[in-house]
Amino acid sequence: MSKIAIVTGGAKGIGYGSTKRLLDDGATVVMFDWDEAGLEQASKDFAGYGERISGMKVDISSDAQVKKAIEAVGNKYGRIDYVVNCAGIQTYGTAVETSEETWDKTFNVNVKSMFLTAKHVAPTMIAQKSGSIVNISSVQSLVSQKTVVAYSASKGAINALTRATAIDLASSNVRVNAILPGSVDTPMLREAAELHRGTLSVEEVLADWGSGHPLGRIAKSSEVGDLAVF
């Protein structure tokens, strides 16, 4: 039987790249995503993998919905081997400019969701004495640009959540790790480039941002997927 994986935000961006990489590695993948159109398109894209791919519409900031979805996966397959938490949003603003609503939404989607998936998948992984959880953080958890106070803080919280959960679950042979990418070519990054491009094209903005990375370019979502599978 193939390994069973859940990928949050699996229909787009880093989640899409991670889903494809897991499928290529032989896993059965269930995508959790709020975007119904995205799930439909991703399911079409991955149709060649047959019954090893499926999707569920889930509000990953809702305890009840996450609990129900994870229980459904566990009941269907009898085990859950991997969770890759890719769901996230980018928000902008200084501490002065950021509203309480934006702050709460950023933390609900970026951090609370990862707490909830760990909360509800951990009992299964503990019982089977194996499992791996990968949380997608960001280099902005360590160094920050201007006007991303909620986003940067949420990514720092992911790092702390990952460390604490890893310690709690280690004795049960469950590993918890975080990946801290720089800029990755995703729809979210392209939306940011559109927002900040001025007179430049989106491609010119992405090339400029890429020049600040050691490789001289931004990453591909598939490359982050490679690391998640590793």
Side-chain angles (χ1 to χ4, degrees):
M1 181 178 180
S2 66
K3 300 290 187 179
I4 307 303
I6 293 170
V7 180
T8 72
K12 291 187 296 188
I14 292 173
Y16 185 99
S18 297
T19 294
K20 186 177 188 307
R21 183 62 180 79
L22 283 160
L23 289 167
D24 288 341
D25 201 52
T28 293
V29 182
V30 183
M31 301 176 289
F32 288 2
D33 208 296
W34 181 246
D35 181 358
E36 285 186 288
L39 279 172
E40 184 177 351
Q41 183 59 54
S43 296
K44 290 178 181 177
D45 293 347
F46 298 137
Y49 294 96
E51 295 184 354
R52 288 198 292 115
I53 183 65
S54 60
M56 300 175 65
K57 182 181 178 181
V58 182
D59 177 356
I60 41 75
S61 67
S62 164
D63 179 78
Q65 290 195 34
V66 171
K67 181 176 187 291
K68 182 179 179 180
I70 288 177
E71 285 179 348
V73 175
N75 290 336
K76 180 175 182 178
Y77 296 106
R79 62 183 297 112
I80 301 172
D81 299 287
Y82 311 134
V83 173
V84 186
N85 284 308
C86 301
I89 57 172
Q90 172 80 65
T91 54
Y92 294 95
T94 65
V96 175
E97 298 163 347
T98 300
S99 67
E100 181 180 11
E101 180 184 13
T102 296
W103 178 273
D104 289 345
K105 182 177 181 180
T106 306
F107 269 74
N108 283 343
V109 176
N110 291 2
V111 187
K112 182 183 177 183
S113 63
M114 297 189 186
F115 154 69
L116 290 176
T117 55
K119 176 182 180 65
H120 294 299
V121 83
T124 296
M125 291 183 171
I126 290 169
Q128 65 196 25
K129 289 293 183 180
S130 67
S132 175
I133 299 171
V134 177
N135 297 326
I136 303 299
S137 178
S138 169
V139 69
Q140 290 200 61
S141 64
L142 304 177
V143 292
S144 183
Q145 66 187 61
K146 292 181 178 180
T147 69
V148 289
V149 65
Y151 179 81
S152 184
S154 74
K155 293 299 183 175
I158 289 169
N159 295 356
L161 173 67
T162 302
R163 286 192 296 269
T165 311
I167 291 170
D168 288 340
L169 298 180
S171 61
S172 298
N173 196 37
V174 178
R175 296 176 295 107
V176 188
N177 290 284
I179 298 174
L180 283 60
S183 297
V184 182
D185 192 351
T186 64
M188 189 168 74
L189 187 75
R190 288 181 173 269
E191 289 171 7
E194 178 65 35
L195 182 66
H196 295 291
R197 71 183 181 86
T199 60
L200 299 175
S201 69
V202 168
E203 295 301 329
E204 287 172 329
V205 174
L206 296 180
D208 179 60
W209 289 351
S211 68
H213 292 61
L215 288 178
R217 63 171 176 82
I218 60 177
K220 302 173 185 176
S221 63
S222 59
E223 292 174 313
V224 183
D226 288 341
L227 184 55
V229 169
F230 170 78

